[in-house]
Amino acid sequence: MEPIVILGAGLAGLSTAHFLQKPWRLIEKSERVGGLIKTEVIDGCYFDPTGHWLHLRDPEIQELVNTRWLPGQMVRIQRKAGIFTRGVFTRFPYQVNTHGLPPEVVSENLIGYVDAIYGEKGRALREREPRDFEEFILRYMGEGFAKNFMVPYNQKLWTVHPREMSAAWVGRFVPRPSLKEVVDGALGAGSDAVGYNASFLYPREGGIESLARAMLRDLKGGELSLNTEPTSIDWKARKVVLNDGRTLSYSGLVSSVSLPGLVRLLAQGASGVPDEVVAAAKRLRATTVTYVAVAARGPNRQPWHWIYLPEPEFHTYRIGSPSAVYDALAPRDTSTFYVEYSHHGELAPATAEKYAVQDLLRSQMIHCADDVLFAHAREIPHAYVLYDEAYGPAKAEILRFLEHAGIQTAGRYGQWEYSSMEDAILGGRACARTLNG
């Protein structure tokens, strides 16, 4: 019997191989497994691209991580996230922690919230489902929160105005505050334990990549090929051509490569794909994220694990600090940061590195530019999928064809979605269960 071929050895691919009860071949284009959870070590400083914090909801995955893959190795950390705006820090989430902002901003946020939830101004939005992400913000938070944080921050992150995006993705990722939470937050009695990531797990040693390495050590029943990638897929003949000249026959195919990339591979195969599927893949959009890994002399100036920066004078939308999250990630008396920039097209590394130092200084995360030990820019292609008007119909068109072709997809890129590490593991498990059946 031909093996199951799995494209991509990130968490989704590793999970698929783990749960499969049939022979498999795992194909990975880079020199090691992990996908986006590869940890880079620079002068003793550990950087994940970017913050990768593990949130586990599924009992089986919790059991695997805690007793089989990394037993006794996971540290639970309580989130310390902040917002830097109007020259002051407040706690995250913004919508339930406005205490400390200028009084006129707090007032505008409160009045806007009450108008949206209870007032005449918000009546029209309350009578229907939000048509887009901007309407979701206005419906559940009001004009003040929209103006002062939610719209400018999300426009930086996604690179388009929230009115150009669907609200289908928000789910657990954007908390909808209650009146009590908003009022408590304005009075200084708010909670920073709101949201899906109020606490998280992180490996005691080796950075987040240690999870991928542990999953790899536990694999049985198949073969891994590194530095190998497909050049075409013939879905009718059920064959994958590899860059080393080999051709693999498969009984099942699971892909965690990007959805547009998978369509290109299929189009290059002998069986081709319909024109409408190629056209749909071209309509799928995503941002590129350039992050700058920075180390500075001295301990962290601020306590925040990461901060959000909505204002236009900052090029970055978010700054994280691995050393603030877990001090083992940096040498003694060294603070480390990743400074993130979302964009389309090219952002020159030297430009991003210059911005990073400027943004760290302006946000009061470091004392002076002379403290910076290094700043190295790295790029993450199609980091955030754009849930725009074309997204739903285009993705549905591609998935209909893939179902006809007998190809499954998993993972953040394979499913072309905004999702977590656990979601990738669960997606791999779901593919394996279908193939096992």
Side-chain angles (χ1 to χ4, degrees), residues 91 96-99 180-194:
R91 294 186 299 172
V96 297
N97 284 297
T98 55
H99 182 70
K180 183 178 188 308
E181 287 172 330
V182 170
V183 172
D184 283 350
L187 296 173
S191 171
D192 57 4
V194 176

Side-chain angles (χ1 to χ4, degrees), residues 158-179:
W158 300 100
T159 70
V160 298
H161 195 281
R163 74 173 65 97
E164 297 182 44
M165 295 178 60
S166 161
W169 63 274
V170 294
R172 69 185 188 275
F173 297 112
V174 183
R176 289 157 39 172
S178 67
L179 176 61

Side-chain angles (χ1 to χ4, degrees), residues 360-414:
L360 286 165
L361 283 167
R362 289 173 184 160
S363 62
Q364 303 174 21
M365 296 295 277
I366 64 174
H367 289 279
C368 69
D370 289 342
D371 288 337
V372 173
L373 299 169
F374 61 75
H376 297 316
R378 302 288 187 268
E379 189 175 275
I380 304 173
H382 39 73
Y384 289 99
V385 168
L386 283 180
Y387 287 78
D388 57 12
E389 186 177 357
Y391 172 87
K395 180 176 171 180
E397 181 77 42
I398 295 167
L399 293 183
R400 279 193 295 271
F401 171 73
L402 293 179
E403 183 178 12
H404 171 69
I407 297 170
Q408 296 190 70
T409 63
R412 184 179 177 116
Y413 295 156

Side-chain angles (χ1 to χ4, degrees), residues 259-260 263 273-285 388 390-401 416:
L259 203 54
V263 172
V273 294
D275 291 343
E276 58 268 25
V277 176
V278 174
K282 290 178 179 176
R283 293 197 298 274
L284 294 178
R285 295 195 297 159
D388 57 12
Y391 172 87
K395 180 176 171 180
E397 181 77 42
I398 295 167
L399 293 183
R400 279 193 295 271
F401 171 73
W416 203 250

